[in-house]
Amino acid sequence: MSKLTEIMNKRMAFSFELFPPKTDDGLKKLIGDGGVLDRLAGLYPDYISVTYGAGGGNIGANLEVLKAISSRKQGIVPITHFTCIGGTKDDLRQKLQSYLDNGINHILALRGDLPFGWTGTGGDLRYATELVAFIRKEFGDKFTIAVAGSPEGHISCRSIDADISYLKQKQDNGADFIMTQLCWDMDQFRWWIDAIRAAGVTLPVDVGIMPVLDAKATMNMALSRNGCVLPRKLAEIISKNWIFPDPFTADAEAKDKKSDAAYDEKKASFKEAGIEYTVGLIDEYRVAGIDGIHLYALNKYDDVARIISEAGLIDRV
Ligand code: FAD
């Protein structure tokens, strides 16, 4: 059993997700001395995962961030996200071997989002189920494998039953635990967790939480890819702090002239309400029978640390 599944069998795990910055300056702010990673590491998460561009275009920066995580003294497990989009078996084998060569043996095995208009991955493997089977066939137990779970159903699934059956197949093919897509609809989540357990999925479920800090980012996450349900409470926070003419235009204009006189106040008031909402959401998840909280840290420290502290996720003994 891997270190992380052992932890999740004993207690709730706690982790962050980072993304590889696109610029040298961004990378320095994240992994340089005294940067965001150092500060997040001081909160002693069990693991930190690092996202991966669908076709692997950002693998260099992804690996740098992963290596920086393993070099921190806190013993935090680095997990790379990994997709099979566009990869031949040879290509995928080489990339996976290169992670092992760099000491990275934890992976979130994903299909990846298909670019608009594509009907398949353009590579040798079609689904995450096949990627999990491939990793086990080629590398045995060298990797701990996490897989994605979608409490609302993946945006292109035939049905939620089909989606859950494929989740079970990921377990059967050798996955170790589940990391979920964000879900604000707690009734749906509670239904899903019962449904996957009834379907024989016994893997630990680590829940992905996106902190609600900014209206534009929240709407983007909900609607740009996943079609997430926005509960009334969250919709009210967005409406009460609406920046006119709309948050997207207003943000673009903010540098020169502010289209809404209360721009700054609304941004700040959204964030306050959003943090309170996120903390409440973590409370609800913690009593819903989950095994871990995985916070999208968005490469930030202050707001993330505040959420963790207000949610009481860490015992400071
Ligand atoms: P799959 O499990 O393969 O599912 C894709 C679709 O196919 C679903 O509709 C499913 O029902 C169906 N399906 C699955 N298996 C089969 C099968 N055997 N036969 C027929 N149909 C099947 N993307 C990135 O590019 N980079 C990232 O770093 C990244 N990180 C993520 C982190 C998390 C926690 C999550 C939840 C998602 C992340 N994604 C990332 C997005 C992910 O790549 C997309 O959601 C993608 O569209 C589906 O990936 P999957 O692994 O869930 O696919």
Side-chain angles (χ1 to χ4, degrees), residues 51-52 54 81 110-113 127-129 154 157 163 166 170:
T51 62
Y52 181 89
H81 298 201
L110 300 157
R111 182 196 69 181
D113 283 321
Y127 299 106
T129 47
H154 181 263
C157 69
D163 212 42
Y166 296 130
K170 293 180 193 180

Side-chain angles (χ1 to χ4, degrees), residues 5-18:
T5 38
E6 241 171 65
I7 288 174
M8 286 190 235
N9 282 337
K10 269 199 228 138
R11 63 165 169 84
M12 213 188 65
F14 154 59
S15 60
F16 294 124
E17 176 173 310
L18 299 175

